[in-house]
Amino acid sequence: MQLENLNHAQRVRLAFIDFSLEFFGQITRADLIQKFGTGLASCTRDLSLYRELAPNNAVLMHENKRYVRSETFRAIFEHDPESVLRTLANGFGDGFSLSHEESPTCFDAIRLVHPNADIISTIMRAIYSNSAIRCEYESLSSGTTKRELVPHAIVNNGHRWHVRAFDRKSKEFRDFVCTRFKRIELQEAEPKSNELADMDSEWNTLCELQLVPHPRLGHSKAIEMDYGMTKGTLKLEVRAALANYVLRHWNVDCTDNATLTGDEYQLYLKNKNSLVDLINFSITPD
């Protein structure tokens, strides 16, 4: 049996199985039923067909009827890293792992940074299984370092994807750029309670950003329309750990008196004084 001989609906279901094994490390018939609304017999046929196409990719755990990713797993679909990350961030959609035809009228932004699918899949399995990872990481300040991390989220900061994780070297929660990982592997030992997401105070603290058109602009109505402002203000509730990325990505002037003059500064942070104890402003425009 060859993939090209299957109909589109079959390929979509098999791609979902392949995706789940690759990035979550497991798949069950219940997952297929929930996703596609098919019957039990149909799910069994899909899993049997997948195992026929890739006999070494999954192992059936008889005690819970769960198929788990084998050590010899090799994806039979090409899961594009950017599509994978959008899928993980926004939920599964049709065609998430199958090829897409480019639109002649709708174009996305050009991306210069492209994460590696193998790195992303290992990190996602660590998050999904509540595991730690051992890795080599290339840092701008320290060069190549060996680290043990307990990841709990992958985040797009507007320019690139990074991992939010507890770093056992520094003993604190930090951000790690996905493209800077080298060797990476899962660890079997369970993380300690202080290494889990519940203890990441910056991540679990929400703050409100009040963004207004930059005071130096003469025609602020256009900016209000661009950002869907209400009464001249855009209020965003974001995690404190992510606020600095939002402010930098949108070139929000974070000076005390809106003193930045470049044309790229169309927004101003009106409520900075109430946020100084919550947000690290070291990388924001000020």
Side-chain angles (χ1 to χ4, degrees):
M1 180 66 67
Q2 300 293 323
L3 278 175
E4 56 268 23
N5 296 330
L6 303 177
N7 62 44
H8 178 74
Q10 286 176 308
R11 292 199 303 272
V12 169
R13 295 195 299 272
L14 292 179
F16 178 77
I17 295 172
D18 199 54
F19 180 94
S20 297
L21 289 169
E22 170 79 309
F23 292 93
F24 298 140
Q26 58 185 349
I27 183 73
T28 65
R29 288 183 295 182
D31 295 329
L32 287 167
I33 293 171
Q34 181 178 5
K35 168 60 183 172
F36 298 104
T38 53
L40 192 61
S42 177
C43 295
T44 300
R45 287 194 298 271
D46 288 335
L47 287 165
S48 296
L49 179 55
Y50 181 84
R51 297 191 74 185
E52 179 183 339
L53 292 166
N56 299 318
N57 273 9
V59 178
L60 174 61
M61 309 301 289
H62 292 281
E63 62 270 20
N64 55 18
K65 304 299 182 182
R66 185 181 302 273
Y67 290 87
V68 299
R69 186 184 194 271
S70 71
E71 293 183 359
T72 57
F73 177 90
R74 294 291 182 274
I76 62 175
F77 288 84
E78 184 176 348
H79 304 288
D80 175 72
E82 294 290 343
S83 297
V84 165
L85 289 166
R86 286 194 297 270
T87 297
L88 295 171
N90 301 320
F92 296 109
D94 292 337
F96 59 84
S97 293
L98 302 177
S99 59
H100 297 273
E101 293 185 4
E102 291 187 4
S103 169
T105 57
C106 182
F107 300 89
D108 200 356
I110 296 173
R111 292 177 172 83
L112 301 182
V113 179
H114 303 283
N116 181 285
D118 291 335
I119 296 295
I120 296 299
S121 68
T122 303
I123 293 171
M124 278 305 304
R125 291 198 306 277
I127 294 172
Y128 194 74
S129 62
N130 202 32
S131 303
I133 58 173
R134 182 182 293 111
C135 63
E136 287 186 6
Y137 183 78
E138 192 71 23
S139 168
L140 284 175
S141 58
S142 307
T144 302
T145 59
K146 293 183 179 180
R147 295 177 182 267
E148 290 184 4
L149 308 176
V150 182
H152 67 74
I154 296 183
V155 181
N156 187 342
N157 66 13
H159 295 284
R160 58 195 179 192
W161 290 88
H162 70 259
V163 182
R164 185 71 177 177
F166 182 84
D167 177 23
R168 288 176 174 170
K169 183 178 180 179
S170 64
K171 301 188 184 305
E172 61 185 15
F173 289 94
R174 290 186 175 184
D175 300 337
F176 297 88
V177 181
C178 288
T179 50
R180 296 179 185 172
F181 285 93
K182 293 182 178 179
R183 298 175 184 175
I184 183 171
E185 60 183 17
L186 289 175
Q187 290 186 291
E188 294 183 0
E190 292 187 5
K192 299 177 182 178
S193 59
N194 67 304
E195 300 174 331
L196 302 178
D198 290 344
M199 300 302 294
D200 188 347
S201 59
E202 282 188 89
W203 181 262
N204 295 307
T205 299
L206 297 177
C207 59
E208 183 180 86
L209 306 180
Q210 296 179 12
L211 309 181
V212 298
H214 202 283
R216 65 172 172 76
L217 297 176
H219 301 282
S220 62
K221 186 63 178 179
I223 302 302
E224 293 180 27
M225 294 174 65
D226 282 346
Y227 296 95
M229 295 181 178
T230 301
K231 296 182 179 180
T233 302
L234 175 62
K235 296 181 180 181
L236 296 177
E237 187 176 70
V238 300
R239 297 181 185 275
L242 304 179
N244 55 352
Y245 296 118
V246 174
L247 295 169
R248 182 175 67 171
H249 179 64
W250 293 103
N251 290 318
V252 179
D253 185 342
C254 297
T255 60
D256 292 337
N257 298 302
T259 55
L260 299 181
T261 59
D263 291 339
E264 67 270 28
Y265 303 113
Q266 298 182 342
L267 298 171
Y268 173 63
L269 180 62
K270 185 174 71 172
N271 65 326
K272 179 180 178 179
N273 289 340
S274 65
L275 300 172
V276 291
D277 294 329
L278 298 176
I279 298 175
N280 178 6
F281 286 95
S282 61
I283 65 171
T284 59
D286 59 13

